[in-house]
């Protein structure tokens, strides 16, 4: 099995590689050697440990990568491209010098916005993939995650975008704050508690800090279950995000790109506001975006 080219999604925690042929994915491999675990001189070795068996001595295989591999702390810093612009431009890839003659390596740059200041790395490739999968789409793309992104797209360009630290805040509050004591027994989910959190935060986002502590108080005084506390925490944070992102989604066509469970939570919250969002697979979008960067679509 010798691929035509190799697609790489290189995040902070994980490295994923896909051997690509004319009809799509031939094979895939994953490791935990993400950007956060590697010194600059260790990236090529980490990549070769994953793709060595796919490389041939009788041809040079192009490798196209997106994500944190192009960050300041990554293999080589790929300078941001400023919006408004195409999310991915084949002519704007950052070429990286490698020692192994069997492959070439190029990085998809992230995007930046001057005012208000914002940046993204990796999400631009998913956005490009979403546009490749939905030709002619004009509207808003939401990418839920550790740092959720809301991007306004028009005429195949990213016009503006906004980042929310919702996922990171959820992880910190549920795992390291005083609220963690009320969630240690959480094993399931409570849709009603989630809905209440979304509604409360959308109605009074300025009261978010007080509503968060109320989760602890209700656990102590009223027996609020761990499932309900965790679901309402998620609802409060997503509701606050929707309140801040209202100019993006109000009256717009919205598509969600990401993991199924998290995207479904955002879709549920948006539906309560009268917005029916389309759900797109994050994996499909990143592969379509890398294919566009490679000039294959």
């Amino acid at each position: 099995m010798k691929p035509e080219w190799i697609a790489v999604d290189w995040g902070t925690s994980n490295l994923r590689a896909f051997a690509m042929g004319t009809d799509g994915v031939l094979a895939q491999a994953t490791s935990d050697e993400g950007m956060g675990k590697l010194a600059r001189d260790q990236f090529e070795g980490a990549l070769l440990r994953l793709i060595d068996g796919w490389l041939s001595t009788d041809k040079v295989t192009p490798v196209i990568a997106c994500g944190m591999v192009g960050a300041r702390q990554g293999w080589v810093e790929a300078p941001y491209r400023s919006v408004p612009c195409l999310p991915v431009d084949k002519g704007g890839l950052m070429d990286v010098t490698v020692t192994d003659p069997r492959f070439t390596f190029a990085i998809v740059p992230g995007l930046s916005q001057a005012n208000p200041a914002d940046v993204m790395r990796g999400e631009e490739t998913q956005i490009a993939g979403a546009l490749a999968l939905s030709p002619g789409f004009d509207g808003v793309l939401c990418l839920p995650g550790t740092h959720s992104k809301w991007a306004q797209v028009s005429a195949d360009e990213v016009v503006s975008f906004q980042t929310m630290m919702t996922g990171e805040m959820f992880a910190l509050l549920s795992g390291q704050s005083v609220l963690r004591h009320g969630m240690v027994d959480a094993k399931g989910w409570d849709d009603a508690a989630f809905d209440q959190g979304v509604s409360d935060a959308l109605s009074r986002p300025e009261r978010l800090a007080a509503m968060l502590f109320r989760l602890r108080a209700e656990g102590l005084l009223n027996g609020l279950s761990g499932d309900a506390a965790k679901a309402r925490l998620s609802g409060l944070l997503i509701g606050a995000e929707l309140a801040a992102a209202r100019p993006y989604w109000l009256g717009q066509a919205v598509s969600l790109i990401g993991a199924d469970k998290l995207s479904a939570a955002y879709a549920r919250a948006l539906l309560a506001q009268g917005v029916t969002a389309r759900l797109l697979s994050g994996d499909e979008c990143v592969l379509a975006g890398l294919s566009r960067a490679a000039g294959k679509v």
Side-chain angles (χ1 to χ4, degrees):
M1 187 278 297
K2 299 300 178 185
E4 181 182 344
W5 65 287
I6 296 172
V8 170
D9 181 10
W10 208 327
T12 302
S13 304
N14 296 290
L15 163 61
R16 299 190 302 161
F18 303 85
M20 304 296 293
T22 54
D23 295 325
V25 178
L26 303 175
Q28 58 184 291
T30 304
S31 83
D32 62 358
E33 292 190 280
M35 178 274 292
K37 299 180 181 178
L38 301 172
R40 185 150 286 178
D41 61 356
Q42 296 176 319
F43 280 84
E44 184 170 349
L47 180 63
L48 283 171
R49 281 189 284 278
L50 210 57
I51 70 168
D52 187 80
W54 300 344
L55 300 176
S56 173
T57 56
D58 58 6
K59 62 172 283 193
V60 178
T61 304
V63 180
I64 310 294
C66 68
M68 296 305 290
V69 64
R72 186 165 297 176
Q73 300 80 16
W75 190 345
V76 173
E77 184 176 8
Y80 294 108
R81 298 168 53 244
S82 299
V83 298
C85 63
L86 296 170
V88 165
D89 179 6
K90 186 178 186 298
L93 301 182
M94 178 78 179
D95 293 322
V96 178
T97 301
V98 296
T99 60
D100 193 310
R102 295 175 297 167
F103 74 99
T104 60
F105 191 81
I107 298 173
V108 178
L111 302 184
S112 67
Q113 180 176 272
N115 188 26
D118 214 330
V119 294
M120 68 168 70
R121 278 202 192 278
E123 293 91 353
E124 77 294 321
T125 304
Q126 290 185 309
I127 292 171
L131 295 177
L133 295 170
S134 305
F137 176 83
D138 269 34
V140 170
L141 295 169
C142 173
L143 298 89
T146 303
H147 300 152
S148 298
K149 307 287 183 183
W150 291 81
Q152 177 73 47
V153 297
S154 180
D156 278 344
E157 289 191 335
V158 178
V159 178
S160 67
F161 65 95
Q162 181 173 241
T163 303
M164 312 278 190
M165 292 178 62
T166 306
E168 185 167 2
M169 290 173 65
F170 178 83
L172 292 170
L173 289 169
S174 63
Q176 298 185 39
S177 80
V178 68
L179 300 183
R180 73 186 188 279
H181 300 298
M183 302 180 188
V184 292
D185 63 341
K187 295 181 173 60
W189 193 252
D190 187 321
D191 283 334
F194 174 80
D195 293 343
Q196 181 184 344
V198 171
S199 177
D200 289 348
L202 268 165
S203 299
R204 298 292 299 277
E206 75 280 5
R207 296 282 297 161
L208 179 63
M211 289 187 284
L212 289 172
F213 188 76
R214 195 175 302 150
L215 296 173
R216 177 59 176 157
E218 288 191 24
L220 292 170
L221 301 177
N222 302 332
L224 183 69
S225 72
D227 290 350
K230 199 163 191 176
R232 199 197 306 173
L233 171 62
S234 177
L236 286 169
L237 294 175
I238 291 175
E241 177 179 332
L242 293 187
R246 198 186 303 269
Y248 277 82
W249 54 262
L250 188 63
Q252 297 286 328
V254 178
S255 290
L256 292 158
I257 305 171
D260 291 346
K261 186 175 180 180
L262 186 56
S263 290
Y266 274 71
R268 183 183 181 93
L270 284 164
L271 186 60
Q273 309 309 308
V275 177
T276 301
R278 180 186 180 196
L279 275 63
L280 301 174
S281 163
D283 288 346
E284 289 182 10
C285 286
V286 76
L287 282 175
L290 286 167
S291 296
R292 177 162 283 190
K296 306 300 181 182
V297 294

